[in-house]
Amino acid sequence: IAWLHLQIAQNTPHIGVVIPELQQQSRSLQRLLLSHFSADLFDISLGQALNEFPLIAHALCWLNLDTQYFTLHQVTLLLQSPYLDEGKKEFLARAQYLQDGHLLQERHIPFKHLVHDLKTQAPKLAQLLTQIKTYPPKASPQEWIVLFQERLNSLGFPGDGGLNCENYQCLNRLINIFDEFRQLSLISPKLNTQEALEAL
């Protein structure tokens, strides 16, 4: 704090401070700085993890879908997500099912029952779900990239609503991550589903 006061007194135009473990200390640091400086004098820049952005969080949820059972969280996200094909056109029907669907009383929802139920109320979503393929027991990193991309494409990811600047950057970063995923073949020639999803 004394050093910062000194820099300000010397009219240093830009001051940057790196704080180790900022994620754990950001609130206490902000309180400390506010007790010494005006809020317009500083900015705490804490990078957000990629999987905390909605577009990426939804994509990871789709990649984790099991063709036997869905969790209530997964189904809720499927019904509300703008990052699926026909999300705008079928928004009201999906919202209605979210409110009325009797299967949503369960914690684990059988895939086949959900698809059957959705055929009458949200047929476009039901059609998307029928296109989900079961993952193989094991595959190479290169094969997993293709499987992951096919899964997202079959669901119409990233949706039909257009992308703002933030979502466009997130989508490009995800594409780059798929490219980086190939490097895992140097470590492990084959990965099972859980290993591949965790590595991603």
Side-chain angles (χ1 to χ4, degrees):
I1 297 295
W3 179 82
L4 288 172
H5 278 298
L6 180 62
Q7 298 304 309
I8 291 168
Q10 293 174 351
N11 292 321
T12 305
H14 299 288
I15 306 165
V17 180
V18 177
I19 308 291
E21 299 175 5
L22 179 58
Q23 192 158 7
Q24 289 82 22
Q25 301 180 33
S26 62
R27 289 182 189 212
S28 59
L29 178 65
Q30 184 154 16
R31 283 194 301 272
L32 176 66
L33 291 173
L34 282 171
S35 67
H36 291 275
F37 306 104
S38 168
D40 61 335
L41 281 181
F42 69 90
D43 177 45
I44 296 177
S45 177
L46 177 61
Q48 188 176 351
L50 187 62
N51 64 354
E52 292 174 5
F53 288 92
L55 179 115
I56 301 300
H58 288 218
L60 292 173
C61 182
W62 310 154
L63 294 177
N64 276 280
L65 291 175
D66 178 6
T67 52
Q68 297 297 316
Y69 288 92
F70 288 173
T71 66
L72 179 58
H73 170 74
Q74 289 171 330
V75 174
T76 302
L77 208 57
L78 283 165
L79 292 166
Q80 295 177 320
S81 180
Y83 307 119
L84 292 173
D85 197 25
E86 305 286 359
K88 277 186 167 182
K89 291 180 185 174
E90 213 172 51
F91 174 77
L92 291 176
R94 294 177 190 183
Q96 190 65 46
Y97 185 83
L98 184 61
Q99 184 176 336
D100 301 335
H102 68 280
L103 287 175
L104 302 184
Q105 306 303 316
E106 306 295 327
R107 289 182 59 202
H108 296 285
I109 301 161
F111 172 78
K112 289 181 180 177
H113 294 178
L114 177 67
V115 170
H116 181 268
D117 230 24
L118 286 172
K119 280 182 181 175
T120 54
Q121 287 189 268
K124 291 180 179 16
L125 179 57
Q127 179 60 33
L128 290 176
L129 294 178
T130 60
Q131 295 176 47
I132 294 177
K133 294 180 182 172
T134 303
Y135 291 136
K138 283 194 168 193
S140 70
Q142 177 61 41
E143 291 167 330
W144 279 116
I145 294 167
V146 172
L147 290 164
F148 290 156
Q149 289 174 330
E150 284 177 353
R151 168 74 60 94
L152 293 177
N153 290 340
S154 72
L155 291 169
F157 178 83
D160 51 6
L163 297 176
N164 61 23
C165 181
E166 180 180 279
N167 283 340
Y168 181 76
Q169 290 179 41
C170 285
L171 183 60
N172 280 332
R173 183 66 188 112
L174 181 62
I175 292 165
N176 290 336
I177 286 173
F178 285 144
D179 286 338
E180 293 168 17
F181 195 85
R182 285 185 177 87
Q183 298 171 16
L184 287 177
S185 58
L186 299 172
I187 302 166
S188 182
K190 294 282 185 183
L191 300 168
N192 65 34
T193 305
Q194 194 60 36
E195 290 168 340
L197 290 167
E198 285 175 4
L200 182 67

